[in-house]
Amino acid sequence: MAGSRRPVVVARDRSSGRAYLIRTTRSGRFSRITATGARPALANLILNAGDWDVSGRGDVITRSSKTGQLYLYRGLAGGRLGRPRKMSRSSFARIRFLTAVGDMTGDGRPDLLGQPRGRPMRIYPGNGSTGFGHSYIAHSALGGRKQLGMGLWNSDGAPDTVLLSRSRALVLYQGNGPGGLTGGRVIRRLKASYDWVLAVGDLTGDDRADLVARSSRTHRLYTIAGVPGGFAKRRLFTTGMGRFDIAG
């Protein structure tokens, strides 16, 4: 999205409603903040969706707080985002844990994974353009606070996901290849209270998926690096993140 392979966080300024990129360096440190040109003022969810339209640039998906519909912001040159395009007529307002999970279906296109209230987890496969194919069940209903699309956590080639439980446990559900999930084991417990916990891909450059998390008290942003079997201790990424309300 930013014109390089380095991970970025997409965050919305709470006062202006404008979206910005929080960029990173090769060593996984904070780089700078740049404007995207987009203003998703009515969004209640931002997803860093990968190359959704298979154009070679990363894209962003938002969900409307009024209608529950999803909108695609296509990535442009220089970290800019295009005008929003409605992705379907259906409302996603009642889809819990909705997140971008990479290519679950194995067709080379990014997908979303979420859980309709009271129903099983479902995959919403990307169609390589601005919408979806037919959704299908990936796992029985799960509980928790948030889902984190971890990408390839292990070496089996299938994307994996983590559920953040209400007790702050990070619970790993491994992809099973055909587009579903298996297992459910705790790989870390978060001691501090965070209002953001985001999967950002390989931030530290060691071929392992990492997290960033924002302190709900100080608004400092931390890196929580992936290590064999779990996550390392947090490391300060940057400060002064209180100007933003939501991120992905």
Side-chain angles (χ1 to χ4, degrees):
M1 188 183 306
S4 75
R5 294 185 180 275
R6 300 304 311 151
V8 296
V9 174
V10 185
R12 184 182 66 185
D13 185 275
R14 69 174 69 250
S15 61
S16 69
R18 299 186 182 280
Y20 291 84
L21 296 187
I22 302 172
R23 299 177 181 239
T24 63
T25 66
R26 289 185 179 181
S27 61
R29 303 284 182 173
F30 170 78
S31 173
R32 57 197 173 104
I33 298 173
T34 61
T36 65
R39 189 173 180 269
L42 297 179
N44 61 11
L45 180 70
I46 292 177
L47 300 178
N48 200 336
D51 186 8
W52 189 268
D53 62 355
V54 199
S55 67
R57 298 184 185 278
D59 307 309
V60 170
I61 294 173
T62 68
R63 182 176 61 192
S64 169
S65 60
K66 286 192 172 183
T67 66
Q69 292 178 319
L70 301 185
Y71 290 85
L72 178 70
Y73 290 80
R74 286 174 156 172
L76 306 177
R80 307 287 284 183
L81 294 173
R83 294 181 178 181
R85 301 193 180 199
K86 189 181 294 186
M87 300 184 72
S88 76
R89 296 179 181 178
S90 302
S91 171
F92 282 72
R94 294 178 61 82
I95 307 298
R96 304 175 68 232
F97 308 137
L98 187 65
T99 196
V101 289
D103 179 18
M104 292 284 291
T105 60
D107 62 359
R109 302 165 180 169
D111 308 307
L112 302 185
L113 181 64
Q115 181 172 293
R117 291 188 184 276
R119 298 183 181 181
M121 294 283 285
R122 299 188 71 87
I123 291 174
Y124 300 89
N127 65 2
S129 181
T130 60
F132 303 94
H134 294 293
S135 69
Y136 61 90
I137 294 174
H139 196 279
S140 58
L142 299 172
R145 296 169 54 189
K146 182 180 177 65
Q147 182 185 187
L148 307 170
M150 298 305 299
L152 301 178
W153 176 261
N154 54 29
S155 59
D156 65 4
D160 308 303
T161 195
V162 164
L163 265 289
L164 175 62
S165 76
R166 299 192 183 280
S167 62
R168 300 179 187 170
L170 296 171
V171 185
L172 175 66
Y173 291 87
Q174 297 179 187
N176 64 4
L181 300 172
T182 62
R185 62 182 177 89
V186 176
I187 55 176
R188 172 74 187 270
R189 293 186 184 276
L190 301 180
K191 295 181 180 180
S193 177
Y194 301 108
D195 55 3
W196 294 356
V197 182
L198 308 172
V200 292
D202 180 18
L203 184 63
T204 58
D206 61 357
D207 294 326
R208 296 184 183 278
D210 306 311
L211 305 177
V212 295
R214 187 177 72 170
S215 167
S216 57
R217 183 176 62 86
T218 66
H219 295 146
R220 291 180 175 180
L221 199 61
Y222 294 91
T223 300
I224 304 175
V227 295
F231 292 94
K233 293 182 179 180
R234 71 182 188 179
R235 183 185 73 186
L236 182 64
F237 181 74
T238 191
T239 61
M241 291 290 102
R243 61 178 282 201
F244 302 108
D245 54 3
I246 58 175

